[in-house]
Amino acid sequence: MKRLLQMASVLLVSLTVMPTAHAQAGAIDMTGMGIYAGEEAVMDAARETSSTPARSKAKQAVGSFGYTPTTALRQQTVRNAAQGLQTQRPADAKVLERAFGPGKADYNQVYEGIIKGSSLRNNDAADALAAYILMNWMVVNNVQDGNAITVPVARGVRAQVAPLLAPKLTASGTAAQTGEGFKLQTAVLFAGWQAAIKGGQLPGFRQDVATNFKTQYHFDLAQFKLTGQGLVKR
C-alpha cells in the first residue's frame, strides 16, 4: 500500500477517467454522456428529496444502477484512463498503469475500503458518483475522520446525484463503465490524499483538489456542509 500511495501521489488530481465537455454556464458533463451537474442541479435535487419524508424516500431509490463487474472491465477502465492521459500527460499515464495495471494493485479493493460502513454499494454507478463527491468534500474541507460520512449523509448525497444519472444511464446501459470510472477516480484521489498527509503536502493538495473540482463542475465544495439531505449550503 505504501508503494501505491507514493505512486498515486504524483498523479495530478485532475485525472479524468471519462471525457468532460462544457454544455452551459454553470454546468459540466461529468461523464461525457450528456449528464450535466452543477451547483444548481444538485441543489434542485436536494430540494426535491427533502420536501417530504415520503418524497425523500422515493427519490433516494431513484434508479438502480447496479452491474456485475469483471476483471476485464476494471483493467479496461485503467487502460481508458491511461489513454486519456497519454497525449498531454504521458508520465501520469505510466504512473497510473504502474499503480493499477494488470498484476498491480486493484483499485476496487481500495474503493471497497473507502465505502465500508457508509451504506454505499460497490458496483452501482450512482453510489460510485456519490463516493467520488464525498471523497472530494472530505479533502477540500480537511475532514480526515471517516466516521463523518454517516449512513444518512451517504444516502442523502446518493439521492441527490441519482436523478442526474437516471435519464442517460437507463437508456444507454453504460452503468458499468460509468461506475468503474468513478471508482477509479475515487481510489486515486484517496491514495493521493493519504500520501499528501504523510508527506506534509496536505495544504497544497487540498487547494489543488478544490480548484480542480470547482473548475470542472462549477461547484465550490468549501461552501457546503453534509446533512441527511446531502450537500447543503452553509
Side-chain angles (χ1 to χ4, degrees):
M1 187 65 176
K2 181 178 180 181
R3 180 171 174 269
L4 165 62
L5 296 177
Q6 290 173 336
M7 290 189 296
S9 67
V10 305
L11 280 170
L12 299 180
V13 295
S14 58
L15 170 68
T16 303
V17 174
M18 294 187 180
T20 57
H22 288 279
Q24 58 194 49
I28 200 77
D29 180 351
M30 299 182 78
T31 64
M33 295 167 49
I35 300 169
Y36 300 105
E39 181 177 325
E40 183 177 354
V42 175
M43 290 303 99
D44 284 345
R47 284 189 286 271
E48 290 178 4
T49 57
S50 63
S51 58
T52 66
R55 187 173 180 82
S56 177
K57 184 176 181 180
K59 281 292 181 180
Q60 185 171 308
V62 165
S64 176
F65 305 112
Y67 56 89
T68 301
T70 64
T71 300
L73 173 60
R74 288 196 290 270
Q75 291 178 353
Q76 185 61 53
T77 299
V78 174
R79 283 196 295 271
N80 289 346
Q83 288 172 3
L85 292 167
Q86 188 63 49
T87 301
Q88 296 185 340
R89 295 172 4 227
D92 291 338
K94 290 180 180 179
V95 170
L96 180 63
E97 291 178 321
R98 288 200 301 268
F100 292 117
K104 306 298 182 180
D106 182 356
Y107 69 80
N108 185 63
Q109 292 182 355
V110 179
Y111 178 80
E112 284 184 329
I114 292 169
I115 64 172
K116 184 178 181 180
S118 69
S119 82
L120 293 175
R121 297 160 296 180
N122 197 351
N123 310 322
D124 180 280
D127 289 56
L129 174 53
Y132 175 66
I133 292 173
L134 286 166
M135 180 56 61
N136 275 272
W137 184 90
M138 290 180 71
V139 173
V140 171
N141 290 279
N142 198 26
V143 176
Q144 298 182 31
D145 181 5
N147 292 324
I149 308 303
T150 63
V151 169
V153 162
R155 288 179 175 171
V157 173
R158 202 267 185 196
Q160 285 178 307
V161 302
L164 303 175
L165 293 175
K168 292 295 180 179
L169 293 192
T170 301
S172 65
T174 57
Q177 294 91 328
T178 300
E180 290 302 303
F182 281 121
K183 284 168 60 177
L184 176 58
Q185 291 191 74
T186 302
V188 168
L189 179 57
F190 175 77
W193 184 30
Q194 297 305 299
I197 292 172
K198 293 180 179 180
Q201 300 175 322
L202 184 57
F205 184 83
R206 288 179 56 215
Q207 184 58 55
D208 286 346
V209 172
T211 300
N212 176 70
F213 198 91
K214 189 174 182 180
T215 299
Q216 282 194 311
Y217 306 134
H218 300 268
F219 206 114
D220 184 358
L221 288 170
Q223 301 299 315
F224 289 82
K225 61 182 179 180
L226 289 176
T227 72
Q229 284 71 51
L231 291 163
V232 177
K233 269 285 183 79
R234 295 184 188 278

